[in-house]
Each structure stands twice: as C-alpha cells, then as structure tokens.
Amino acid sequence: LECSLNNVEVMGRDVSIVSTHPSSLNPVIRSIIDADNKVDVTAGTVRFDIKPHKLFVFNKETEERIWF
C-alpha cells in the first residue's frame, strides 16, 4: 500500500504516520509503527506491508466488514 506522506509524529517507542490515499473515504490515514522502523520524511510517500489480521476493510455500500 503506497500513500502520500503528510506528517510523522514520534510518540515515545512508536511513530504515528499521517498519510492519505486517493481510494480512502477518510481524508486522513493514521498508522502506528514501531520507532525502530525508519521513515524517510523527505520521500513524499510511504509504503506499507499490510498484515491481513491487522487491517479492517469495509464494503462501501453495505458497510459490512470484508474478511480476508
């Protein structure tokens, strides 16, 4: 998943990544990652490897969760 990087906030042992994606209904996507992961704040984009059990995806029309 590749998103436009808006902001990176260090929160102790975690890092909050604020990003956007054109397919997202919400204007902001906030992702929490371990501070050991390095984020290039100058890149303009951020790429995520998604763990299916950590991701919640919903059907736009029915609003029911899509299970992987």
Side-chain angles (χ1 to χ4, degrees), residues 45-61:
T45 60
V46 62
R47 293 183 59 107
F48 297 98
D49 291 329
I50 304 298
K51 296 178 182 177
H53 67 281
K54 297 277 188 175
L55 179 68
F56 296 93
V57 178
F58 296 87
N59 181 298
K60 183 178 178 179
E61 294 173 8

Side-chain angles (χ1 to χ4, degrees), residues 12-23:
R13 66 180 185 181
D14 294 326
V15 173
S16 174
I17 299 174
V18 181
S19 59
T20 57
H21 190 278
S23 296

Side-chain angles (χ1 to χ4, degrees), residues 18-39:
V18 181
S19 59
T20 57
H21 190 278
S23 296
S24 178
L25 294 178
N26 293 329
V28 175
I29 301 168
R30 183 175 298 271
S31 307
I32 308 298
I33 64 170
D34 190 281
D36 291 339
N37 295 297
K38 302 299 178 210
V39 179

Side-chain angles (χ1 to χ4, degrees), residues 2-20:
E2 184 171 292
C3 299
S4 297
L5 181 62
N6 295 40
N7 194 19
V8 175
E9 303 167 358
V10 178
M11 305 177 340
R13 66 180 185 181
D14 294 326
V15 173
S16 174
I17 299 174
V18 181
S19 59
T20 57

